Amino acid sequence: MATVPGQLIWEIVKKNNCFLVKQFGRGNASVEFSKEPNNLYNLNSFKHSGLANRKTVTIQPGGKDLSVVLATAKTKKQNKPASLLHKSTMRKEFPRMANAVVNQVADNYYRPDLKKAALARLSAVNRSLKVSKSGVKKRNRQATKVPVRK
């Protein structure tokens, strides 16, 4: 089976696909977003497209526990969607997860141009997973009126 170049796929899908979200501001379409998988910034551009690029990176919440899933696309399995992604679950503290993402994306020469986007997505996902502490509420330290007994 012949493979289609990514640039040709992008020219076909850039103006019209089911993932496209257009935000209208002041009468003209100023920003185009995309809801496609494997798009770190959710922008409709060739660089960030998960449809047109062979090598893609995605970072998602893992599940019920505080884990993060880093998934990269296998370049040899483009015609087999079930086995396309190589997923690795990270349950470490944030600096170690950030080092793992940098090693996988940039230092491994996979997609060094997506290093900043991957770290931004990791930071946003990690921040969304944190649960606010429900401990003892702080007392109100303002002066209150004490009821006077008669």
Side-chain angles (χ1 to χ4, degrees), residues 111-139:
R111 284 285 301 268
D113 58 327
L114 293 181
K115 175 183 170 184
K116 182 179 174 185
L119 288 175
R121 175 59 71 117
L122 175 68
S123 176
V125 167
N126 191 38
R127 200 172 335 132
S128 72
L129 290 175
K130 288 188 178 179
V131 179
S132 62
K133 295 178 182 177
S134 60
V136 179
K137 293 187 176 182
K138 292 182 179 178
R139 292 186 319 190

Side-chain angles (χ1 to χ4, degrees), residues 90-102:
M90 299 183 288
R91 293 183 183 89
K92 306 170 189 171
E93 56 272 0
F94 182 76
R96 291 182 69 191
M97 283 194 289
N99 284 339
V101 167
V102 169

Side-chain angles (χ1 to χ4, degrees), residues 2 9-10 23-24 35 41 43 47 49-50 61 67-68 70 73 83-84 98-99 107-108 113 127:
I9 293 174
W10 175 246
Q23 295 290 330
F24 293 96
K35 294 188 292 186
Y41 273 148
L43 290 176
K47 177 182 177 181
S49 176
S67 63
V68 176
L70 170 68
S83 62
L84 177 66
N99 284 339
D107 293 345
N108 202 14
D113 58 327
R127 200 172 335 132

